[in-house]
């Protein structure tokens, strides 16, 4: 089975039962986004290409850890051999840090508002990065909104300024104000990601109440002028109820302004626990649409240095997968 088909099938399953030699050192927990508060996840890599799977003792899919990171997944009548990648701070080769593990918004797919997570202090964030310097190539910062959007922006910028001296590319994904792209660029950020989340304004209003669809488009377009093509990303969740035609429309609109769309398969949870994950066939169809749109726009996700397009664990990324 080729890698693209295998990864689509694994993403459609989403979860894996781990047996064999204990693999606790390879399991990381998420404090942001749809996976927050779960049982943890791991990164399974085959010939340098990776997929992130949630750990679930009740999963149908099984991963056999043979020790020292060597692992096998029996799938489709084959034994898929690979390795488990260490993710010291949520992500292989990146320090991916969530500043505020709580949020005033109540996006229906996200568990963060249901938790009373921590708010990391400046000194703590600096020490976290320092502790993994020999294992990372980039720093990525994300955050909920603990108090207000403007307050979260100020805190993020203050932390970014303290991280710049480490000399690594910094990516930031926060809910923006109109000034956020400029302020992040001035602070020394290399890449940004502002997430549309949904393919249509109607779905966005339903899934992300209180957020501003038009503002996100405005800051995305401005960001391309500040950071350049291939250095602005936007996650769009697959499986919220949109059609393929609606997803293609938002993909093409994002690419037309120089933004790399990241198509994130829905992880059913929070208010959408009754939803289904998108099928492998749908993920492959949309991957083909995305690849064509990126090629026509002259965009290359392989040029991204931070965040989701650089990690690739949760998504099918043209140019990397």
């Amino acid at each position: 089975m080729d890698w693209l088909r295998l990864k689509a099938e694994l993403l459609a399953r989403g979860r894996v039962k781990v047996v064999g030699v204990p693999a606790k050192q390879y399991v990381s927990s998420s404090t942001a986004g749809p996976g927050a508060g779960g049982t943890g996840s791991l990164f399974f890599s085959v010939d340098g290409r990776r997929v992130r799977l949630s750990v679930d003792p009740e999963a149908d899919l099984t991963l056999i850890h043979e020790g020292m990171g060597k692992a096998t997944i029996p799938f489709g009548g084959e034994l898929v051999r690979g390795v488990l990648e260490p993710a010291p701070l949520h992500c292989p080769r990146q320090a991916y840090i969530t500043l505020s593990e709580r949020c005033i918004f109540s996006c229906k797919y996200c568990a963060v508002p249901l938790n009373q997570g921590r708010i990391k202090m400046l000194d703590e964030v600096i020490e976290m990065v320092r502790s993994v310097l020999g294992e990372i190539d980039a720093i990525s910062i994300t955050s909920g909104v603990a108090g207000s959007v403007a307050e979260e922006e100020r805190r993020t910028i203050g932390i970014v300024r303290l991280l710049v001296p480490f000399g690594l590319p910094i990516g930031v994904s926060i809910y923006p104000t109109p000034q956020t792209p400029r302020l992040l660029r001035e602070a020394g950020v290399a890449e940004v990601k502002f997430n549309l989340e949904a393919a249509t304004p109607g779905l966005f209003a339903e899934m992300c109440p209180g957020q501003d669809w038009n503002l996100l488009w405005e800051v995305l377009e401005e960001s391309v002028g500040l950071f350049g093509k291939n250095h602005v990303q936007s996650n769009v969740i697959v499986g919220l109820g949109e059609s393929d035609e609606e997803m293609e429309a938002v993909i093409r609109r994002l690419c037309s302004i120089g933004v790399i769309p990241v198509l994130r398969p829905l992880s059913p949870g929070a208010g959408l626990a009754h939803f289904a994950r998108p099928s492998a066939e749908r993920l492959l169809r949309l991957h083909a649409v995305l690849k064509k749109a990126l090629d026509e726009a002259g965009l290359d996700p392989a040029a991204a240095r931070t965040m989701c397009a650089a990690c690739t664990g949760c998504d099918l990324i043209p140019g990397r997968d």
Side-chain angles (χ1 to χ4, degrees), residues 83-316:
V83 297
L84 301 180
E85 289 191 84
L89 286 178
H90 181 65
C91 178
R93 305 307 307 174
Q94 292 188 56
Y96 214 127
I97 300 172
T98 304
L99 301 183
S100 293
E101 300 171 11
R102 59 181 70 173
C103 194
I104 61 173
F105 294 118
S106 297
C107 296
K108 289 189 177 179
Y109 49 80
C110 185
V112 170
L114 304 178
N115 303 325
Q116 285 300 312
R118 299 173 55 247
I119 299 176
K120 296 183 180 72
M121 299 295 102
L122 274 68
D123 291 349
E124 180 183 1
V125 174
I126 300 305
E127 186 52 40
M128 289 173 71
V129 173
R130 185 177 286 116
S131 71
V132 296
L133 272 180
E135 306 171 65
I136 61 172
D137 306 308
I139 301 168
S140 292
I141 298 295
T142 188
S143 190
V145 181
S148 71
V149 174
E151 177 186 352
E152 206 68 56
E153 177 189 75
R154 286 193 298 271
R155 208 165 72 85
T156 301
I157 290 167
I159 288 175
V160 164
R161 288 178 176 144
L162 295 175
L163 293 173
V164 166
F166 285 116
L168 295 171
I170 300 172
V172 171
S173 178
I174 58 174
Y175 187 77
T177 72
Q179 293 76 39
T180 299
R182 175 181 57 82
L183 293 174
L184 290 176
R185 184 62 176 165
E186 291 172 354
V189 169
E191 298 182 338
V192 292
K193 182 162 68 72
F194 301 117
N195 296 329
L196 284 175
E197 308 291 15
T200 70
L203 274 173
F204 180 85
E206 179 185 351
M207 296 292 168
C208 304
Q211 297 188 33
D212 189 332
W213 169 267
N214 292 326
L215 170 64
L216 287 166
W217 280 104
E218 290 167 8
V219 298
L220 283 167
E221 189 160 10
E222 181 184 357
S223 295
V224 176
L226 291 168
F227 297 90
K229 285 186 174 184
N230 300 321
H231 302 299
V232 182
Q233 305 170 38
S234 185
N235 287 13
V236 185
I237 299 173
V238 180
L240 295 179
E242 74 291 330
S243 66
D244 282 3
E245 292 74 19
E246 289 169 335
M247 185 60 74
E248 179 171 359
V250 77
I251 287 170
R252 291 194 171 279
R253 183 178 174 188
L254 285 167
C255 289
S256 73
I257 62 173
V259 175
I260 293 174
V262 177
L263 305 187
R264 173 62 44 84
L266 174 69
S267 295
L272 302 185
H274 58 294
F275 276 45
R277 294 181 69 87
S279 69
E281 293 301 331
R282 187 174 192 215
L283 294 178
L284 288 169
R285 285 199 308 273
L286 293 176
H287 175 269
V289 170
L290 175 58
K291 184 179 186 304
K292 182 178 180 182
L294 288 166
D295 289 344
E296 290 174 352
L299 294 170
D300 181 11
R305 305 170 70 193
T306 70
M307 299 181 292
C308 297
C311 172
T312 76
C314 302
D315 322 284
L316 294 179

